[in-house]
Amino acid sequence: MGKCLVQNSIRRLRFDAGEMTQKTLAEKTGVTRQTIVAIENAKYAPSLELAFLIADAFDTPIQNVFSYRKEIK
Amino acid sequence: MSFHHKSIYVSLVNSIIVMSAYYWWVSGRYADGVFDGPNAGVEVGKSLLILIAAGILVQIIGMILFNILQAIVTNNANPSFLIDERDRTIELKALKVAYNLMALVFLLTIIALTMGWSIFAVFHILVGGGAVIAIVEALTQLFLYRRGY
């Protein structure tokens, strides 16, 4: 697995949600804060289930949270 | 740093303590000639059983001390023991490395057997290999945590 090609807007969505903390998002989705940090920094691509849970935490469709960037060769 | 991440450091330290103590103890017994003669197999077996028992005991004590220390340092009597999908992914990746190394150690053991090495030497290739594998597995997990996944 090379560079993570799954991009996300979690930082912006947290800001829009009244500066929701990473800890709060982690509690809402049932993962550790470190996992949220890794996802937010695009270092870890979450499972489909966790991706839906994160989208649900922001009450928005999944495509507003995650996007796939095609690798340019 | 999650609970799982921290516990890897504890396991790493425990492995190093147990294996260092074991090899120090066994080298003394080896110098005394305990592993020579017809009872060598029995003595090797006894040593390994003691190693397993000591390993479990040190691991339990280490984790208890770690939890007490963590509660004091973080001032949180009910820390989170949550292990999520990223922890499990990291664990599995490190386990894969460990299995590959185990195959190598097993091969070395077979080669040692075919070369006519003593039971003591053969079993201690396995034990030493196991220690190296445990340390490499822990270091792999720490590397993956640092990298992100």
Side-chain angles (χ1 to χ4, degrees), chain B residues 115-131:
Chain B
M115 287 172 71
W117 286 23
S118 67
I119 291 174
F120 175 81
V122 170
F123 268 96
H124 282 87
I125 290 174
L126 269 178
V127 173

Side-chain angles (χ1 to χ4, degrees), chain A residues 1-2 26 30-35 38 43-47 49-50, chain B residues 1-3 5 80 82-87 89 93 146-149:
Chain A
M1 199 177 186
V31 295
T32 59
R33 194 186 65 82
Q34 289 73 23
T35 296
K43 285 184 173 179
Y44 172 69
S47 68
E49 187 185 357
L50 179 55
Chain B
M1 201 182 284
S2 66
F3 169 78
H5 190 173
S80 170
L82 180 68
I83 293 175
D84 63 20
E85 60 173 50
R86 182 167 148 269
D87 294 317
T89 305
K93 279 175 183 255
R146 188 170 284 268
R147 199 178 67 171
Y149 75 98

Side-chain angles (χ1 to χ4, degrees), chain A residues 29-66:
Chain A
T29 53
V31 295
T32 59
R33 194 186 65 82
Q34 289 73 23
T35 296
I36 296 297
V37 172
I39 295 169
E40 199 172 297
N41 293 332
K43 285 184 173 179
Y44 172 69
S47 68
L48 197 54
E49 187 185 357
L50 179 55
F52 273 109
L53 283 169
I54 291 169
D56 191 51
F58 292 116
D59 201 20
T60 188
I62 195 166
Q63 61 267 31
N64 289 351
V65 186
F66 293 99

Side-chain angles (χ1 to χ4, degrees), chain B residues 29-78:
Chain B
R29 296 188 83 207
Y30 183 75
D32 294 340
V34 174
F35 300 107
D36 297 329
N39 278 339
V42 175
E43 292 300 329
V44 169
K46 279 183 192 171
S47 303
L48 293 179
L49 280 178
I50 290 168
L51 171 66
I52 292 167
I56 293 168
L57 198 68
V58 169
Q59 190 69 26
I60 291 168
I61 293 169
M63 289 311 290
I64 291 169
L65 289 176
F66 163 64
N67 283 325
I68 293 169
L69 202 68
Q70 183 175 254
I72 294 168
V73 171
T74 62
N75 204 17
N76 181 5
N78 298 307

